[in-house]
Amino acid sequence: MIYSIFSSLPSFKSYAFRSGLNIIIADKGEASGAGQTRNKAGKSSIVLLIHFALGKEGDPSSLFRKPELKDHNFGIEFDLRGVRIRATRSGANFGKVHLTQVDASEAVKDWPVDALDGEWEATVSSAKWESDLGRIIFQLPEKPEKFGPKFGMLFNYFARRASSGAFLNPQQQSSKQSPADTRVALSYLLGLDWRISTEREQLRQSAENTKKLQKAAQDGLLEGLTGDPKQLLTQSVLVQEDVNRMTEAVRSFRMLPDYAEREKEANALTREINKLADENAQDSLYIHDLEVSLSSELAPQLDDVQRMYLEAGVSLPGIALQRFEEVRKFHESVVRNRKMYLEEELTQARLNVETRLRKMTQLDDRRTEVMTLLKTHGALQHYSKLQSELSRAEARAEQIKQQQSILHEVAERVAQFKIDQQRLYLRLQRDFIENEQLLKDAILAFEEASRALYENAGNLNIYPSETGPNFEVTIQGMKSQGVNNAQIFCFDMMLMRMAARRGISPGFLIHDSSLFDPIDERQKERALEYGAKLAEQIGFQYIVTLNSDQFPKEKVTAFPLEDYIIHPRLTDEPGGGLFGFEFN
């Protein structure tokens, strides 16, 4: 129970609370214009102040670290497990909380941890204070577990903050609360085995890491490879074969120091042989022409000339015949010289051909010798190139081997994930069977609260799934914002009842006006009546803030809600808000 909230700020409006229902009203002042609202009256700031005094709301955007407020102390006096404690904190020293034991209760000895270090008052870090509150109020383990319940995770259900999106759906106390956080918190408050949800979250994160590993493995695959382990095995075998072949080639490599020179010599020999072959071809044609010419070279016959003249009827004188004889001799001399010339040319041409053939044979023998050397040996650059190719093949083989290892690990993790998921699912099902009565009580608690507001009661469905326990709420007309907020009211009342029964509630539940804004006036009146009666029945404090026009006027019950209004009343007039002045 909260006894009071207070501040060192002179204009701050302190409140003293009583047990059961407490209603804080924000009025609309008579002088207020149509454009003025009561959003700055400070109703939601009361919730923030309680969080601040309990170690939360210390981030740079905190209301209490604003220049106008940071130098003042804000605090609450409340009952902490049978001990009256006063907790004060300032924005200027937000990392510390000053604690004072107000009464002389011996119950402090029953705390699982001594938050005041054996003194009547102490200044502790906000983190320690928060941790101690988790152990004292919610009986959390001494050593927090990864993904396990924490003070803030649980307390936020009992003092929802509109600024955190706490009024969007019943199961979440913040719009940023993760599904795993929700399952752990609700399992803990209801009394289910919350460790199943923490292990399920660890398993989910492990699966996420496996997906990242699988993606990294596939992104890193060599070109032409796939993520299929069977194909990867084939690629591995083929690449290893390349490595073996190149290793043997490097081992048996015979280096020829003047390989380049021998290569040039082989090319020069080929060119020379081709040149000689071309020249022989030309000489062969020349020899053929000479042989033809020799066979056709004949001296002209003088008798033929004489016979031609006789046939023409011309008698040649003796001097003419003598002249013919001289010509014939001259001509025979020319023919003879011509034949001698042709025979000399023919002999020379044949000699040239034979000489070239012998030369070609010598050159070809040398070329064969050089080519054999080139085939059986290699140059230094060839050796270096071969070694480079071997290195690349070895790197490729190693990369494939690593990919195989990663993909095999991924396959094993996926298989193990499915096994662990089913194992947790079976544990969760057994937990639901073992806690069947507890679940029935939660369902009936929600149904009771819902029936207090509506003729057709809504339902709370709690069931196991492979992803963990699911908590669903259904009420007829649930698409309405007013019905949605009524679901939150019923859900919180159910949580308060279940937590109180387990002895792990803070002893108070706070609903600010944001919850009641869209709820129909009749349901609002019934909700406040139900909250007041339940608070009295099971002994908790129910604090509500309302705008004056939210307060039910046309009442459908005889319940005296006016008797639960506490003072002072906040207003939207200057100085009428919680802090006594306005600031941004």
Side-chain angles (χ1 to χ4, degrees), residues 71-131:
D71 294 325
H72 294 281
N73 291 320
F74 296 88
I76 66 171
E77 193 169 305
F78 69 114
D79 182 87
L80 180 58
R81 230 9 113 182
V83 183
R84 192 160 178 155
I85 294 295
R86 189 179 179 89
T88 57
R89 187 183 181 198
S90 72
N93 193 20
F94 62 90
K96 300 290 184 182
V97 180
H98 187 74
L99 306 176
T100 305
Q101 182 177 346
V102 178
D103 60 11
S105 173
E106 293 289 322
V108 68
K109 298 177 182 177
D110 298 329
W111 288 356
V113 58
D114 187 356
L116 285 85
D117 296 328
E119 304 292 337
W120 286 97
E121 58 182 317
T123 299
V124 300
S125 72
S126 58
K128 180 181 183 304
W129 176 226
E130 199 178 333
S131 173

Side-chain angles (χ1 to χ4, degrees), residues 286-444:
Y286 186 48
I287 290 171
H288 178 265
D289 291 342
L290 290 174
E291 288 174 344
V292 171
S293 296
L294 276 174
S295 62
S296 61
E297 288 292 335
L298 296 173
Q301 295 299 320
L302 188 58
D303 293 344
D304 294 340
V305 178
Q306 288 179 327
R307 188 170 52 252
M308 181 181 67
Y309 275 93
L310 286 175
E311 291 175 355
V314 181
S315 177
L316 295 174
I319 192 166
L321 292 173
Q322 186 179 355
R323 186 63 180 169
F324 270 122
E325 182 62 23
E326 290 176 356
V327 170
R328 184 184 63 80
K329 289 181 179 178
F330 173 74
H331 185 71
E332 286 176 352
S333 167
V334 170
V335 170
R336 184 169 55 252
N337 290 338
R338 166 75 178 167
K339 287 183 68 176
M340 288 176 63
Y341 169 75
L342 292 175
E343 286 173 354
E344 287 177 358
E345 283 293 306
L346 183 59
T347 300
Q348 185 60 45
R350 286 172 176 165
L351 181 59
N352 289 343
V353 170
E354 290 176 0
T355 301
R356 289 193 193 99
L357 286 175
R358 285 195 299 273
K359 181 67 174 178
M360 287 170 67
T361 300
Q362 293 173 354
L363 293 176
D364 190 54
D365 290 345
R366 175 57 184 166
R367 185 175 65 172
T368 300
E369 182 180 339
V370 172
M371 290 303 294
T372 301
L373 201 59
L374 291 175
K375 287 180 181 178
T376 57
H377 292 69
L380 176 60
Q381 56 266 38
H382 293 166
Y383 183 73
S384 300
K385 183 179 180 182
L386 191 60
Q387 281 194 318
S388 297
E389 290 177 354
L390 173 60
S391 297
R392 283 197 292 273
E394 289 175 334
R396 182 182 174 87
E398 181 60 27
Q399 190 170 359
I400 292 176
K401 190 180 297 182
Q402 291 178 0
Q403 301 294 344
Q404 277 183 296
S405 175
I406 293 173
L407 290 175
H408 287 158
E409 183 180 346
V410 168
E412 289 179 2
R413 285 192 186 186
V414 170
Q416 189 62 46
F417 170 79
K418 292 178 181 176
I419 294 171
D420 292 343
Q421 186 179 43
Q422 289 304 310
R423 177 179 55 78
L424 288 174
Y425 183 40
L426 290 174
R427 271 182 61 190
L428 187 60
Q429 288 180 319
R430 285 198 296 270
D431 186 48
F432 270 54
I433 293 173
E434 293 170 1
N435 291 292
E436 184 178 356
Q437 186 56 50
L438 182 152
L439 295 172
K440 287 179 179 177
D441 291 345
I443 291 169
L444 290 175

Side-chain angles (χ1 to χ4, degrees), residues 168-184:
L168 297 179
N169 65 65
Q171 300 89 336
Q172 289 181 294
Q173 32 81 345
S174 164
S175 59
K176 295 181 180 179
Q177 189 178 15
S178 70
D181 185 288
T182 301
R183 291 189 180 100
V184 170

Side-chain angles (χ1 to χ4, degrees), residues 504-521:
I504 59 169
S505 89
F508 54 83
L509 174 64
I510 305 170
H511 280 155
D512 89 357
S513 59
S514 299
L515 175 70
F516 294 100
D517 273 343
I519 297 179
D520 179 82
E521 185 169 302

